[in-house]
Amino acid sequence: DVQLVESGGDSVQAGRSLRLSCAVSGYALSANCMGWFRQAPGKEREGVAYFYENTGSILYGDSVRGRFTISKDNAKLTLYLQMNTLSADDTGMYYCAAGSGPACELGLDSRAFGIWGQGTQVTVS
């Protein structure tokens, strides 16, 4: 019962753009908050973007604000992350996450999310 499947990761040159996708299925369809996180080798997981369905609230991590955009297409059951002006610091494994209930009030915090995808690799050189 795979619930979140990321795709779109690639190796690109600095300055280019990528769009990540996260296909949502199963229990994750009932989520009312979703997010993107990333983790680079030897570093802690970092919150990238957050979307709260109940209020329309959107949050971004400080390092990506103004360059990345999170969006959700409910008809296609897909969450997106548009990433522009990529730099080497954006390299890492990107994870899609889904959450529900009061935990969503935590915002861009990994504790808000109970369902995680397997990740898609982004490499910027």
Side-chain angles (χ1 to χ4, degrees):
D1 61 338
V2 178
Q3 302 189 57
L4 298 173
V5 180
E6 302 95 333
S7 61
D10 202 351
S11 295
V12 296
Q13 291 184 329
R16 302 298 292 270
S17 298
L18 274 179
R19 187 177 77 161
L20 304 183
S21 299
C22 173
V24 183
S25 63
Y27 185 73
L29 289 170
S30 65
N32 50 13
C33 62
M34 298 199 70
W36 288 97
F37 290 77
R38 68 186 182 188
Q39 188 164 20
K43 295 186 176 181
E44 292 188 356
R45 183 167 50 189
E46 175 188 9
V48 175
Y50 160 93
F51 172 66
Y52 191 18
E53 195 94 46
N54 288 16
T55 63
S57 174
I58 293 176
L59 300 173
Y60 294 100
D62 289 342
S63 61
V64 307
R65 190 177 298 114
R67 299 186 299 120
F68 289 14
T69 303
I70 187 172
S71 63
K72 189 167 181 278
D73 187 329
N74 289 326
K76 295 183 178 180
L77 304 179
T78 303
L79 181 76
Y80 299 102
L81 183 69
Q82 177 66 41
M83 306 186 295
N84 298 329
T85 319
L86 287 162
S87 73
D89 289 339
D90 296 315
T91 293
M93 187 70 78
Y94 282 69
Y95 299 92
C96 172
S100 60
C104 284
E105 300 287 342
L106 293 171
L108 190 52
D109 185 316
S110 61
R111 295 171 297 173
F113 304 95
I115 302 172
W116 295 79
Q118 84 291 347
T120 186
Q121 178 68 36
V122 173
T123 303
V124 185
S125 59

